[in-house]
């Protein structure tokens, strides 16, 4: 996407704030007009107030412009006031007060519009990212996403609020001051045009460099955030392996890369001011040479020339700042590149425009010729091959197989975290692609090995997605998940905040909270993805009992880990290298020579002995 298109897209976010933006533009235009008006006062101050008897005071202030030829303070003042000092003083104070009022109101309104549009942009970006498919998140680091939502948006926010306010003020100051410069200086003013190409060329080249270096700097900042995120979340692993020095060095290296990127950006920006100063110095020197001859030939008075020279200085100030404004806007456009890249990314899981709502689950789930391959850098890694499988309502289907066989991938296709690359999945005769994602996922509950809990109260974690649920139902779900007793022992019971990812709880306690959450959702289809594999024997016994409560009256797809779970299954699917190699009940499969018997002998027999000891 080109810079101009990104700029237009950003400005479209300003449309809802037109009622604030338009008055702000008018008010800031008034600031520029009054700033130029105060420059005009310099002529009368020098020629009429300081030297009231000078013959130069009779020369019109702007003799060359018919539009402003009759400009005089006398026309702006009440007829009772004739004293030049009084007129100048009143005009100066009034214009300053009015300029201050306009400046305050205009700056507030343009910042209101700028912050409002950025809030909308950040909301849209977050909503888009939140709705992306699992493939999107697997291709992005958490730090990159956080950096875009926080840092990149912050860059755009600064440009579209604080910088925009000053930019508009300086634009109008430039326009009105330019009018004064041309009116006062006549032919002298056109000398300044010689320098315009140099200003434009240097600002353009510097702006391009700033945009590139800003993007690199934001990427390096994302690297730092990635290191921070990994080491803070995984701080116990870091400590247990004594890797503090290594991680500190990794952070320091990332910080050095950010420093270098920032310095490149500073070098590009730092050229602006000295370059503008140099061009301005040449312009002023040339004007002084020409202006001396103009005064000697009575082409203008010393007061008019002084006003003209000060107007040129005033004109130079916005020009010098425009280079900095250009740098700020280029930084914003560089930052917006990643924002719009995320917003425009094409999802692989899309909801059809006229998708149907799935109203309950009544009969069966069918995998019909399902293939699935992960796509990485143009290469396809095939995980599932020609899966044909039917699961009847109320059935408990266990899925077993060696690591990497595709067990987790198979169950993740059901809630449409991914779509099959070939074939289809059907629920009660409806292809999943024909259903709304909300209605489909409402019918499916999930308990996985890796439990995710929010840094919130126990109640909020159990009732996630149902904020209005009653306390009685929360407690009923907790009791069925065998979590009620340990919850009551917490400092504030159900109102205890459990910390990030539930770190204040044990693994078994976290798992039972996730089971309570699934119980409260009360979905007819349940996916259990090795929900007890990382627990000790005591915790697992409690979790297994809670899972048994959860599985009642539900259709269950379970990635089996323990013998007790496998034996309770209606049927067992043996998955190997992405293909179904056997299927049937436990008693039949264990008698056959093949993968299941080997897995049973290697894993399940040992587990059975442990279960007997534990029992």
């Amino acid at each position: 996407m080109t810079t101009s298109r990104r700029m237009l897209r950003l400005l479209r976010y300003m449309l809802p704030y037109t009622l604030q933006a338009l008055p702000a533009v008018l008010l800031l235009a008034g600031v520029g007009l009054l700033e130029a008006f105060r420059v005009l006062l310099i002529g009368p101050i020098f020629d009429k107030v300081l030297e009231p008897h000078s013959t130069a005071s009779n020369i019109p202030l702007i003799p060359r412009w018919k539009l402003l030829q009759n400009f005089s303070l006398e026309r702006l003042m009440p007829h009772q006031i004739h004293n030049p000092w009084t007129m100048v003083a009143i005009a100066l104070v009034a214009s300053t007060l009015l300029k201050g009022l306009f400046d305050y109101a205009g700056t507030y309104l343009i910042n209101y519009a700028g912050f409002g549009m950025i809030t909308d942009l950040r909301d849209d970006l977050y909503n888009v990212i939140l709705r992306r498919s699992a493939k999107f998140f697997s291709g992005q680091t958490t730090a990159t996403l956080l950096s875009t939502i926080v840092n990149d948006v912050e860059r755009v926010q600064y440009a579209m609020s604080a910088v925009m306010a000053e930019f508009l003020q300086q634009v109008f100051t430039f326009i009105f001051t330019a009018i004064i410069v041309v009116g006062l200086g006549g032919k002298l003013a056109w000398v300044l045009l010689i320098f315009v190409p140099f200003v434009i060329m240097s600002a353009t080249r510097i702006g391009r460099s700033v945009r590139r270096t800003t993007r690199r700097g934001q990427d390096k900042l994302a690297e730092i955030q990635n290191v921070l995120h990994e080491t803070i979340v995984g701080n116990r692993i870091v400590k247990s392996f004594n890797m503090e020095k290594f991680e500190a060095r990794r952070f320091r290296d990332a910080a050095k890369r950010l420093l270098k990127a920032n310095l490149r950006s500073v070098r590009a920006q730092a050229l602006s001011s000295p370059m503008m100063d140099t061009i301005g110095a040449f312009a002023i020197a040339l004007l002084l040479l020409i202006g001396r001859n103009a005064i000697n030939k009575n082409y203008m008075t010393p007061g008019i020339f002084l006003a003209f020279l000060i107007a040129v200085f005033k004109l130079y100030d916005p020009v010098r700042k425009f280079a900095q404004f250009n740098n700020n806007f280029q930084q914003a456009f560089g930052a917006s590149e990643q924002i719009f890249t995320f917003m425009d990314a094409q999802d692989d899981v899309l909801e059809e425009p006229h998708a149907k709502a799935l109203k309950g689950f009544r009969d069966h789930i069918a995998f019909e010729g399902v293939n699935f391959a992960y796509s990485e850098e143009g290469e396809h890694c095939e995980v599932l091959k020609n899966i044909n499988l039917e699961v009847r309502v109320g059935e408990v289907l266990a899925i077993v197989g060696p690591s990497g066989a595709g067990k987790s991938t198979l169950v993740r296709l059901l809630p449409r975290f991914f779509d099959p690359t070939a074939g289809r999945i059907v629920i009660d005769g409806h292809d999943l692609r024909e259903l709304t994602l909300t209605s489909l996922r409402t019918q499916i509950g999930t308990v996985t090995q890796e439990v995710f809990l929010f840094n919130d109260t126990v109640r909020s974690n159990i009732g996630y997605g149902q904020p209005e649920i009653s306390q009685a139902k929360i407690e009923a779900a907790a009791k069925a998940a065998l979590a009620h007793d340990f919850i009551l022992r917490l400092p504030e019971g159900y109102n205890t905040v459990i910390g990030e990812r539930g770190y204040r709880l044990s693994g078994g306690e976290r798992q039972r909270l996730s089971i309570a959450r699934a119980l409260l959702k009360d979905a007819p289809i349940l996916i259990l993805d090795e929900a007890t594999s990382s627990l000790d024997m005591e915790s697992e016994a409690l979790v297994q009992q809670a899972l048994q409560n959860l599985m009642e009256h539900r259709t269950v797809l379970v990635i089996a880990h323990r013998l007790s779970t496998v034996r309770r299954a209606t049927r067992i699917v043996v998955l190997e290298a992405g293909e179904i190699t056997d299927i049937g009940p436990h008693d039949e499969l264990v008698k056959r020579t093949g993968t299941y018997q080997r897995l049973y002998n290697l894993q399940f027999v040992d587990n059975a002995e442990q279960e007997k000891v534990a029992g």
Side-chain angles (χ1 to χ4, degrees):
M1 184 187 294
T2 62
T3 302
S4 57
R5 286 185 63 190
R6 285 201 298 272
M7 180 176 66
L8 290 173
R9 195 164 174 183
L10 284 172
L11 290 177
R12 276 201 292 271
Y13 276 92
M14 186 72 80
L15 289 177
Y17 301 94
T18 304
L19 289 177
Q20 289 81 26
L22 285 181
V25 171
L26 294 175
L27 286 166
L28 293 173
V31 172
L33 177 63
L34 290 167
E35 185 69 27
F37 172 77
R38 294 198 306 171
V39 173
L40 272 181
L41 294 177
I42 293 171
I45 289 172
F46 195 86
D47 290 337
K48 296 186 177 182
V49 176
L50 298 180
E51 295 187 54
H53 304 295
S54 172
T55 56
S57 64
N58 298 320
I59 299 175
L61 182 63
I62 305 181
R64 286 160 294 281
W65 273 25
K66 292 182 179 179
L67 179 65
L68 297 175
Q69 192 171 15
N70 295 321
F71 171 82
S72 65
L73 290 177
E74 289 86 346
R75 292 177 180 272
L76 300 177
M77 297 292 168
H79 66 276
Q80 296 91 345
I81 301 175
H82 300 290
N83 185 281
W85 179 89
T86 305
M87 288 189 286
V88 168
I90 291 174
L92 182 62
V93 172
S95 62
T96 301
L97 290 175
L98 204 56
K99 174 180 172 287
L101 180 63
F102 285 3
D103 193 356
Y104 172 80
T107 300
Y108 174 80
L109 288 174
I110 201 66
N111 273 275
Y112 185 106
F115 279 106
M117 67 165 285
I118 292 302
T119 300
D120 293 345
L121 176 64
R122 184 183 275 118
D123 288 346
D124 284 355
L125 175 62
Y126 180 69
N127 287 334
V128 165
I129 289 177
L130 206 58
R131 284 167 172 74
R132 287 283 180 248
S133 64
K135 183 180 179 181
F136 172 83
F137 289 98
S138 64
Q140 303 291 340
T141 65
T142 302
T144 299
L145 296 175
L146 288 175
S147 179
T148 301
I149 294 173
V150 178
N151 300 324
D152 288 347
V153 173
E154 189 71 27
R155 286 274 189 181
V156 179
Q157 176 176 289
Y158 176 67
M160 301 308 290
S161 54
V163 174
M164 182 63 77
E166 190 176 0
F167 170 72
L168 288 173
Q169 180 179 326
Q170 293 298 329
V171 163
F172 289 114
T173 299
F174 175 82
I175 292 171
F176 291 115
T177 305
I179 293 172
I180 299 301
V181 165
V182 174
L184 289 173
K187 293 178 182 179
L188 269 68
W190 301 111
V191 173
L192 297 173
L193 289 177
I194 299 171
F195 301 93
V196 170
F198 298 102
V199 171
I200 294 173
M201 186 171 60
S202 61
T204 303
R205 293 187 64 180
I206 292 170
R208 272 199 227 102
S209 179
V210 167
R211 185 169 67 249
R212 286 195 304 270
T213 54
T214 296
R215 182 66 265 152
R216 290 172 190 157
Q218 295 296 90
D219 291 339
K220 300 306 177 188
L221 185 57
E223 284 183 21
I224 282 186
Q225 290 180 317
N226 186 53
V227 175
L228 279 172
H229 179 264
E230 289 177 346
T231 51
I232 290 172
V233 172
N235 67 89
R236 293 181 186 178
I237 298 296
V238 173
K239 292 180 186 302
S240 64
F241 282 86
N242 294 317
M243 293 294 282
E244 290 91 343
K245 288 184 179 179
F246 172 80
E247 294 299 344
R249 186 166 61 252
R250 191 159 72 106
F251 181 86
R252 188 167 56 250
D253 291 343
K256 284 181 180 177
R257 288 192 291 272
L258 175 61
L259 173 64
K260 289 178 181 177
N262 285 338
L263 288 177
R264 280 194 290 269
S265 180
V266 168
R267 279 199 299 270
Q269 293 181 65
L271 281 173
S272 298
S273 187
M275 193 168 290
M276 294 301 108
D277 285 344
T278 303
I279 294 172
F282 276 109
I284 297 297
L286 187 58
L287 288 175
L288 286 171
L289 177 63
I290 300 171
R292 182 180 62 180
N293 294 329
I295 294 172
N296 291 337
K297 294 177 181 179
N298 289 325
Y299 182 71
M300 59 174 60
T301 68
I304 294 174
F305 180 72
L306 180 61
F308 167 72
L309 203 59
I310 291 175
V312 170
F313 275 108
K314 285 282 186 182
L315 193 67
Y316 162 70
D317 193 48
V319 170
R320 186 173 59 82
K321 287 182 178 179
F322 286 155
Q324 184 60 47
F325 294 148
N326 183 53
N327 293 341
N328 294 136
F329 289 130
Q330 293 299 337
Q331 287 177 343
F333 297 145
S336 69
E337 181 179 354
Q338 186 77 302
I339 294 172
F340 291 130
T341 297
F342 282 159
M343 293 180 77
D344 296 338
Q346 294 298 311
D347 254 336
D348 57 324
V349 176
L350 298 173
E351 190 175 278
E352 292 186 356
H354 303 292
K356 304 171 186 175
L358 179 63
K359 298 179 180 177
F361 170 62
R362 298 179 182 83
D363 190 50
H364 72 287
I365 302 166
F367 293 76
E368 300 177 354
V370 169
N371 285 23
F372 180 78
Y374 288 107
S375 232
E376 294 182 2
E377 298 180 358
E379 297 182 2
H380 290 277
C381 178
E382 198 162 34
V383 180
L384 298 174
K385 306 167 191 173
N386 195 31
I387 301 295
N388 289 285
L389 179 65
E390 185 173 5
V391 186
R392 308 298 305 181
V393 66
E395 187 174 11
V396 177
L397 185 80
I399 304 169
V400 301
S403 178
K407 304 184 295 294
S408 294
T409 301
L410 180 64
V411 297
R412 287 171 187 166
L413 295 178
L414 190 55
R416 279 197 78 192
F417 293 150
F418 303 95
D419 276 338
T421 49
R424 66 175 192 158
I425 304 173
V426 174
I427 289 185
D428 290 346
H430 301 289
D431 189 321
L432 296 191
R433 295 182 180 94
E434 300 172 354
L435 302 172
T436 62
L437 290 171
T438 301
S439 67
L440 170 64
R441 291 169 182 170
T442 299
Q443 308 303 319
I444 302 171
T446 306
V447 179
T448 63
Q449 175 184 349
E450 185 180 353
V451 178
F452 188 90
L453 297 173
F454 296 91
N455 184 24
D456 206 339
T457 64
V458 171
R459 186 191 190 286
S460 296
N461 273 282
I462 294 176
Y464 186 68
Q466 304 178 69
E468 305 302 323
I469 199 77
S470 69
Q471 181 67 21
K473 290 183 178 180
I474 294 280
E475 292 184 10
K479 288 174 182 176
L482 305 181
H484 181 69
D485 290 342
F486 87 75
I487 292 172
L488 292 182
R489 291 195 296 270
L490 295 174
E492 296 180 53
Y494 282 86
N495 292 319
T496 302
V497 176
I498 59 177
E500 186 178 5
R501 302 173 73 90
Y503 77 92
R504 294 175 186 168
L505 305 177
S506 69
E509 289 170 342
R510 289 197 296 269
Q511 193 62 275
R512 279 178 278 164
L513 283 191
S514 75
I515 292 169
R517 185 163 60 194
L519 278 162
L520 200 63
K521 186 178 182 182
D522 197 24
I525 301 169
L526 178 64
I527 295 172
L528 302 178
D529 189 353
E530 301 197 74
T532 63
S533 62
S534 61
L535 302 178
D536 57 60
M537 293 298 295
E538 183 179 353
S539 297
E540 185 186 346
L542 290 169
V543 171
Q544 284 284 8
Q545 188 176 344
L547 284 173
Q548 189 59 38
N549 295 337
L550 177 61
M551 292 165 65
E552 286 182 8
H553 312 300
R554 288 181 172 84
T555 304
V556 184
L557 282 78
V558 53
I559 295 178
H561 180 72
R562 296 296 190 190
L563 176 63
S564 55
T565 306
V566 174
R567 281 181 167 167
R568 283 197 296 267
T570 313
R571 286 183 303 154
I572 300 166
V573 171
V574 181
L575 204 61
E576 196 168 11
E579 297 181 274
I580 295 176
T581 56
D582 213 344
I583 188 167
H586 168 76
D587 293 337
E588 290 182 12
L589 291 179
V590 78
K591 295 175 184 177
R592 300 176 191 168
T593 301
T595 303
Y596 183 77
Q597 189 184 68
R598 186 173 71 253
L599 288 171
Y600 176 78
N601 290 332
L602 289 174
Q603 180 183 5
F604 295 143
V605 169
D606 290 340
N607 289 340
E609 293 299 324
Q610 292 176 8
E611 288 173 6
K612 286 178 182 177
V613 172

